Amino acid sequence: MTPLVQAFFDPATSTVSYIVSDPISLQAAIVDPVLDFDPKAARISTASADKLLAQIADQGLALTYVLETHAHADHLSAAELIRERTGAKIVIGAHITQVQKTFGPLFDADDVHADGRAFDHLIDEGQTLPLGELNISVLHTPGHTPACVTYRIGDAAFVGDTLFMPDYGTARADFPGGDAAVLYRSIRKILALPPETRIFVGHDYQPAGRDPQWETTVAAEREGNVHVRDSVGEAEFVAMREARDATLAAPTLILPSLQVNIRAGALPPPEPSGRVFLRLPVNAI
Ligand SMILES: N[C@@H](CCC(=O)N[C@@H](CS)C(=O)NCC(=O)O)C(=O)O
Ligand SMILES: [Fe+2]
């Protein structure tokens, strides 16, 4: 029950996207694809998504799903682009409705319905989807955002922004709907999986300038994660996380990202002129 996992690191946002496939049936899913965005020129490009799709085509894989671990606040999602190009279905945690409810009004995004209809499958803990001979199962792992999920496929777990590599620690918990204690409990749930479970993280911020890394195990995280190794209790974690979050600036792309990602990676509808705008609400976050 071992899927093939191929990782793609985006240095601009430190995001790791994945192609995960069943070696028998060649059914594949993409996890957390990036839509490239240059904020200086408000220019979108598709090099990162093109690379994923070229790899899928080269390897003769059949893409069935785009799996979103959460509504990202630091990069735009290429889910909609990939759905348009391939017909793949977009999957996200069911609590995305809460995130849409928070951020739709912030952007006066009247086209965003807070019922998740922009996505194809809203999934929650305990639900599964088939991936060839393998199963995609879901853990609800909130804390970084209310809708964060972890996807388990065979011996692999795609944990999004919960824990990162052992030498970096964990995700921030200060976005709207985030909660450090809730994050701690979600991480403990992940770390209760079998110790040999392969963990694939959603970002790597390359501590001390080391090369990017994205794969570890439950055992290695329990033994050595600098924020949540087994000896760290909830109160200690929450104090550390809240103190650290108080020092963090907003992600560079938070405003462009959220308004696109609550639309499953679609841009806002065009204005009567035909031009498409992203909105920057002033003093709103
Ligand atoms: N400097 C980055 C920060 C992005 C960021 O805040 N990332 C979130 C995940 S979406 C996080 O958990 N960061 C942990 C940290 O910065 O310690 C940016 O501007 O994009
Ligand atoms: Fe995130």
Side-chain angles (χ1 to χ4, degrees):
M1 295 297 267
T2 302
L4 178 65
V5 179
Q6 303 174 78
F8 299 76
F9 182 72
D10 172 39
T13 64
S14 308
T15 301
V16 196
S17 305
Y18 298 94
I19 297 174
V20 50
S21 58
D22 167 23
I24 312 287
S25 67
L26 302 187
Q27 300 265 313
I30 290 177
V31 181
D32 289 340
V34 172
L35 186 64
D36 305 301
F37 181 68
D38 169 9
K40 295 196 187 97
R43 180 165 295 281
I44 281 170
S45 57
T46 63
S48 294
D50 292 344
K51 210 155 126 188
L52 294 168
L53 293 177
Q55 187 86 333
I56 297 233
D58 285 355
Q59 296 178 347
L61 300 174
L63 182 68
T64 48
Y65 297 117
V66 176
L67 306 176
E68 293 280 26
T69 57
H70 61 296
H72 308 281
D74 67 301
H75 66 272
L76 281 61
S77 165
E80 175 62 29
L81 176 89
I82 292 171
R83 173 164 64 182
E84 275 169 21
R85 288 207 192 155
T86 67
K89 304 291 188 202
I90 307 175
V91 182
I92 199 160
H95 296 259
I96 188 64
T97 54
Q98 189 181 329
V99 178
Q100 289 177 314
K101 206 184 236 161
T102 304
F103 288 107
L106 184 76
F107 295 104
D108 283 353
D110 300 334
D111 61 304
V112 173
H113 301 275
D115 60 4
R117 73 177 74 165
F119 302 86
D120 296 298
H121 295 287
L122 303 190
I123 37 83
D124 211 342
E125 179 127 351
Q127 289 180 295
T128 63
L129 294 166
L131 188 72
E133 309 284 306
L134 299 168
N135 255 328
I136 304 169
S137 67
V138 176
L139 295 178
H140 182 214
T141 48
H144 172 60
T145 79
C148 287
V149 291
T150 290
Y151 295 101
R152 292 183 70 196
I153 307 175
D155 67 342
F158 297 88
V159 301
D161 300 356
T162 51
L163 19 65
F164 295 132
M165 292 301 290
D167 60 353
Y168 191 78
T170 56
R172 66 196 295 173
D174 59 338
F175 294 156
D179 185 304
V182 171
L183 178 61
Y184 180 86
R185 290 173 213 151
S186 293
I187 289 171
R188 284 284 161 245
K189 188 153 78 174
I190 294 168
L191 296 182
L193 295 173
E196 65 280 7
T197 304
R198 292 187 290 160
I199 299 248
F200 294 93
V201 300
H203 290 286
D204 184 57
Y205 295 108
Q206 299 180 261
R210 65 152 169 70
D211 286 343
Q213 296 177 7
W214 43 77
E215 177 175 353
T216 179
T217 61
V218 163
E221 295 279 23
R222 289 183 63 165
E223 191 184 320
N225 185 292
V226 293
H227 295 167
V228 281
R229 60 188 177 279
D230 273 354
S231 60
V232 178
E234 181 174 315
E236 186 187 345
F237 174 80
V238 169
M240 177 286 302
R241 191 65 262 174
E242 288 179 350
R244 184 176 158 84
D245 286 351
T247 70
L248 298 177
T252 307
L253 299 185
I254 187 169
L255 292 169
S257 299
L258 285 169
Q259 64 195 284
V260 167
N261 296 342
I262 57 173
R263 295 175 165 106
L267 296 174
E271 297 297 325
S273 65
R275 276 192 292 271
V276 171
F277 291 83
L278 293 171
R279 291 182 172 168
L280 298 180
V282 174
N283 290 340
I285 57 161

